[in-house]
Amino acid sequence: GENVEQHPSTLSVQEGDSAVIKCTYSDSASNYFPWYKQELGKRPQLIIDIRSNVGEKKDQRIAVTLNKTAKHFSLHITETQPEDSAVYFCAAKDAGKSTFGDGTTLTVKP
Amino acid sequence: ETGVTQSPTHLIKTRGQQVTLRCSSQSGHNTVSWYQQALGQGPQFIFQYYREEENGRGNFPPRFSGLQFPNYSSELNVNALELDDSALYLCASSIEGPDSGAPYNEQFFGPGTRLTVL
């Protein structure tokens, strides 16, 4: 089955710096890759997603890149703000199954 | 348009008991997925229901079962509860299939049910 590995598990940056979180997946059949932000005690919320026929997608300060050959995808957050502090999860989806990474705890220091 | 809701919010059971968790999907959504999220971990996929049929399952034993109703709401049933079943159970709804306009679409998560097994 699919295996998703996410790195790093914790990430601390200064406000205004960039943050990068990387994920690798094992199943080449996976073709949808969402990223979720989960604040303490709250539900995961989609922040950006990318499909396998696209290499890069950007939404304001957030971007995602996908390398299908290497089976990895990354989340890039620029100009980080304290409110970006949360746990971020990547996921890979194929047909009826989604596999999540173990999460990255991002702390943005003011 | 109403969001995804789950009930109950919290539940305490003892080992060996059975539990039923409920999820109401977002208006217009035909697919519900269930996840188990242990503390400090990512959501683990349990199964997905599309138009009342199970169409995907993760590595969970048969004592985890589900249903989807004609209005696309869903239930998760867990029999013979074990201590390790203690977790946050999340459901997520989406629009899937040939009428959705895309191969895969955004999942909207409910607030979760916190299950504690003693």
Side-chain angles (χ1 to χ4, degrees):
Chain A
E2 176 66 278
N3 181 46
V4 175
E5 295 192 356
Q6 184 173 344
H7 299 280
S9 56
T10 60
L11 180 58
S12 181
V13 300
Q14 287 294 134
E15 183 177 0
D17 287 351
S18 295
V20 179
I21 302 170
K22 298 182 179 181
C23 288
T24 61
Y25 62 99
S26 61
D27 189 348
S28 57
S30 290
N31 54 15
Y32 176 62
F33 306 92
W35 286 88
Y36 295 88
K37 176 182 180 182
Q38 188 174 29
E39 296 175 343
L40 192 63
K42 296 191 176 180
R43 70 191 79 185
Q45 292 199 313
L46 181 78
I47 56 172
I48 196 166
D49 57 10
I50 191 167
R51 292 184 170 83
S52 59
N53 59 347
V54 176
E56 184 174 356
K57 184 177 178 181
K58 188 174 182 180
D59 182 5
Q60 299 183 345
R61 297 186 296 109
I62 296 172
V64 57
T65 59
L66 171 65
N67 183 326
K68 284 179 58 180
T69 303
K71 295 196 188 70
H72 66 70
F73 54 114
S74 300
L75 176 70
H76 304 251
I77 306 174
T78 59
E79 302 172 21
T80 54
Q81 302 166 2
E83 50 265 39
D84 293 330
S85 296
V87 180
Y88 291 81
F89 293 100
C90 63
K93 185 172 181 181
D94 167 41
K97 184 174 179 180
S98 296
T99 303
F100 279 69
D102 285 336
T104 297
T105 301
L106 174 63
T107 303
V108 180
K109 300 177 184 176
Chain B
E1 181 177 284
T2 57
V4 181
T5 60
Q6 292 185 243
S7 63
T9 54
H10 295 86
L11 202 53
I12 299 175
K13 291 285 188 178
T14 56
R15 194 170 45 182
Q17 286 188 311
Q18 178 266 341
V19 69
T20 297
L21 310 182
R22 295 178 175 82
C23 173
S24 290
S25 59
Q26 184 159 316
S27 176
H29 287 188
N30 58 13
T31 300
V32 173
S33 302
W34 285 93
Y35 297 87
Q36 179 194 69
Q37 187 175 26
L39 204 59
Q41 295 184 15
Q44 299 294 311
F45 178 76
I46 303 174
F47 43 56
Q48 181 182 91
Y49 278 84
Y50 167 68
R51 293 191 174 181
E52 303 178 58
E53 297 283 336
E54 182 183 298
N55 77 330
R57 190 177 182 94
N59 296 325
F60 281 81
R63 60 190 185 83
F64 286 78
S65 63
L67 283 173
Q68 187 178 34
F69 300 99
N71 66 355
Y72 301 131
S73 65
S74 178
E75 286 183 355
L76 165 65
N77 298 290
V78 187
N79 293 322
L81 284 168
E82 301 177 359
L83 299 180
D84 286 348
D85 295 334
S86 295
L88 178 69
Y89 288 84
L90 295 161
C91 75
S93 75
S94 59
I95 305 174
E96 308 289 350
D99 299 329
S100 68
Y104 301 109
N105 295 285
E106 178 179 357
Q107 289 186 329
F108 292 83
F109 280 86
T113 293
R114 174 73 62 186
L115 173 64
T116 303
V117 182
L118 302 176

